[in-house]
Amino acid sequence: MTQSIPISMSTTIRKQNKSSFFKNVFLVFIYGTFFYSFQSLAKSHESELTYIEELGKRLFFENISDPERMSCSSCHLPEAGGTNGVSGVNKHQVAVTGADPHTVGTLKPPTNKYVQFLDQSGNVQGLPRFSNCGSFPTFTCGGAFWNGRAKGDSIDNIDIFVSDKYKEMYSKYLGPVTDQAHASPFVNPVEQGKTDKIAVCEQVAATKWGSELYNFAWGLELSCNEQSIDEVFARLAVSLGAWQMSYENNTFDSKRDIALKNDADGSFPLDDFTDEENLGHDLFYGVAENRDDLGFGQARCVFCHLSSIADGTGEFERYTDDSYHNIGVPRNYEIPGSPAPDIGLEATTGNPAHKGSHKTPTLRNLDQRPGGGFTKAYGHNGWFKSIESIVHFYNTAIIKPTCESKGILQATEKQALASDCWPEPEFRDTSALGFIGNLGLSASDEAAIVAYLKTLTDNSVVEELHPYKSGGFDESRLK
C-alpha cells in the first residue's frame, strides 16, 4: 500500500523586517520537519489503513485471550522485530508462556514481518504456498510456521465472500500468513487459550471497534452464532493476514534500503556504507575480492538467505529462500520441560530426510530490539543469544571440539563460548554441517558480516493503536 506524507508545509517567508539569519532558521526547521516525517512513514494513523487492515491490526494488538493478558503482539512485538519482546524469556526459556501461566510453547516465536507483503501495485509478494520446490536438500518451500504446516489452503473451501467484489479485493490475502492466523493462536491452549471460535468472536464483538470494522471491511453484520462462526473466524484470520502484509508492517526502510536508493550507481559497494559493512555484504554473497584464502561461496550465507537478485540489490529482498534447512543447531535444554528436539519439516511431510529442517527465517530486523541490553534469541529453538555467536557457529561448528567431549553436557551458549566448544546438533545426520562449519573466516570477517546484518534493521516501528473513533463508512478505505 503506497502511503502519502500527511504533512502540509508553507515555505512562504515574510521578507519585511526579517534578517537572513531568521530566514535560515525557519528553513532549517521546515526541512527538518519534512525529513522527520518522511523517516516516520510507518507511524501512520489507522485511518490511513484500509478497513480490513485496520481490523487486522486491532485484532493483532487486542488481548484476545483467557485470561485477557495476551495478544498476537505478545509473541510478535514490533519493537523486537516481530519476535518475542521479553528479554529474560529470550535469555533462558525462549518459549513463551501462554495466557494461562501454567502453559508454555516449545519453540521460539518466528517473526511476523517480511513473510508476505504488498508491493506498490497492491500485489502480494513473498512466501509462497507450501509445495515441492525450494533449495537442496529438502526441495520444499512455502508454508508458515517453522515446520510449514500452515500451507496456505485452509480457507480455500470456506465461503467467506459476500460478493464477487469482495472476492476480487481480498483473495490476494489467502495463503500461508492467513493460514497461520487461522491455525490459530487464539484457541491454542498454550498460547491465547480462548475456549473456541465463538468465544473469540464474542470478545471481538464486545470491543468498541469489532462490529463496526467487521461490517465496514466485509459488508456483513458480525454474528457469533454457531451456524456462521467458521466463516466469521476465517474472515478474522484474513483480516489479520491483510494487516501483516501491509506496508505499515513491512516498510523496507533499513539502512541498507536507504543507502541502496541513495547510491550513485545503485550497486555495491554502497556510498553510505562503511568499509566493514560493504565487506560484510561481499562475504555474505561470496564476491569479496582477493580472498583466495576462502573456499567456494566464502561465507555462503546467500545460498539460503536470498529471495530476489543474486547481487544483493533487490528492492524487496527478504533474505530467505522460503525453504527448509537443518544447520545443526544444538538442543536447547532450557526450554521448560526440556522437550525432545523438534523434528521440523518431517512433521509436515513425513519424510525422514526432512528431520530437523526448519524454515529459513528472514534476516531483516535481526538486531531490532526495544533498547540497549535487550537479549534476542536466534534459531528455531533460540539457543543462540547474539548475532555474533550464530555467525561464529556457521564459521566454526565442525572445527571446534564438542562440548560433550569436554564433559560439558546440556551446554548453554554461554558455557559453549567460554569453553571454546559447540554441543552436538539436534539431528546431525540431516544437517548441513560440512557445507557450513569450517568456512575459514577470520574474526574481522565475522565482524564484517555482523555489521552488514545490522544494516537490515528497520528505522521505523509500528505505532501503537490510537483509541477507536466511530465514524461513517468511507468507500475509499474499502480496497
Side-chain angles (χ1 to χ4, degrees), residues 450-473:
V450 171
Y452 173 65
L453 294 176
K454 289 184 177 182
T455 70
L456 309 182
T457 298
D458 287 340
N459 282 301
S460 59
V461 176
V462 174
E463 189 176 51
E464 292 184 4
L465 284 159
H466 298 80
Y468 186 70
K469 293 183 180 180
S470 179
F473 178 74

Side-chain angles (χ1 to χ4, degrees), residues 22 191 295 334 353 459:
F22 288 110
E191 294 185 73
E334 290 191 291
N459 282 301

Side-chain angles (χ1 to χ4, degrees), residues 355-434:
K355 187 184 296 292
S357 291
H358 292 85
K359 189 162 72 71
T360 306
T362 178
L363 298 180
R364 285 184 174 271
N365 291 318
L366 282 182
D367 196 44
Q368 191 169 58
R369 56 192 80 219
F374 182 91
T375 298
K376 294 190 71 171
Y378 302 96
H380 65 277
N381 65 8
W383 188 86
F384 298 97
K385 309 302 180 184
S386 73
I387 305 173
E388 288 80 1
S389 69
I390 196 168
V391 169
H392 188 51
F393 175 83
Y394 271 84
N395 186 28
T396 64
I398 64 174
I399 62 173
K400 290 188 178 186
T402 66
C403 295
E404 289 82 357
S405 70
K406 291 190 169 188
I408 307 171
L409 305 181
Q410 302 184 14
T412 63
E413 181 214 48
K414 182 177 181 180
Q415 291 171 320
L417 293 174
S419 301
D420 200 30
C421 61
W422 293 117
E424 286 284 350
E426 290 181 325
F427 302 102
R428 178 174 286 277
D429 291 346
T430 57
S431 76
L433 295 178

Side-chain angles (χ1 to χ4, degrees), residues 66-78:
D66 187 12
E68 293 181 17
R69 67 174 81 190
M70 190 176 197
S71 69
C72 301
S73 64
S74 299
C75 294
H76 305 286
L77 186 71

Side-chain angles (χ1 to χ4, degrees), residues 289-355:
E289 296 181 352
N290 303 316
R291 295 306 303 270
D292 293 338
D293 56 311
L294 301 177
F296 167 72
Q298 297 176 351
R300 301 184 181 175
C301 313
V302 69
F303 293 108
C304 298
H305 293 284
L306 178 73
S307 66
S308 60
I309 302 173
D311 65 0
T313 60
E315 181 180 5
F316 298 120
E317 176 59 58
R318 293 166 44 246
Y319 299 94
T320 172
D321 61 0
D322 292 317
S323 192
Y324 297 80
H325 305 276
N326 173 5
I327 64 169
V329 173
R331 179 174 175 178
N332 188 350
Y333 290 92
E334 290 191 291
I335 295 175
S338 189
D342 187 85
I343 63 174
L345 183 62
E346 184 189 15
T348 301
T349 65
N351 186 342
H354 295 164
K355 187 184 296 292

Side-chain angles (χ1 to χ4, degrees), residues 165-275:
K165 172 185 176 181
Y166 286 85
K167 185 174 184 179
E168 182 179 354
M169 288 190 299
Y170 296 159
S171 288
K172 62 188 175 187
Y173 297 126
L174 302 183
V177 171
T178 287
D179 256 22
Q180 191 169 7
H182 189 249
S184 155
F186 287 140
V187 296
N188 188 326
V190 301
E191 294 185 73
Q192 288 164 265
K194 296 296 284 187
T195 54
D196 53 33
K197 296 176 182 179
I198 291 178
V200 173
C201 179
E202 289 174 343
Q203 185 172 338
V204 173
T207 66
K208 294 180 179 180
W209 48 268
S211 294
E212 183 168 276
L213 279 178
Y214 182 87
N215 175 248
F216 287 173
W218 289 95
L220 295 165
E221 297 298 320
L222 180 58
S223 176
C224 301
N225 60 64
E226 188 172 351
Q227 291 72 32
S228 63
I229 192 59
D230 286 344
E231 291 82 2
V232 169
F233 195 78
R235 292 184 191 110
L236 297 181
V238 173
S239 303
L240 275 163
W243 179 73
Q244 291 182 87
M245 296 177 206
S246 72
Y247 168 82
E248 186 181 37
N249 195 47
N250 307 275
T251 53
F252 291 93
D253 67 351
S254 68
K255 177 179 180 178
R256 175 265 185 196
D257 300 305
I258 295 170
L260 186 61
K261 290 176 182 177
N262 291 339
D263 193 74
D265 62 2
S267 63
F268 285 85
L270 299 182
D271 300 335
D272 294 339
F273 266 22
T274 65
D275 290 343

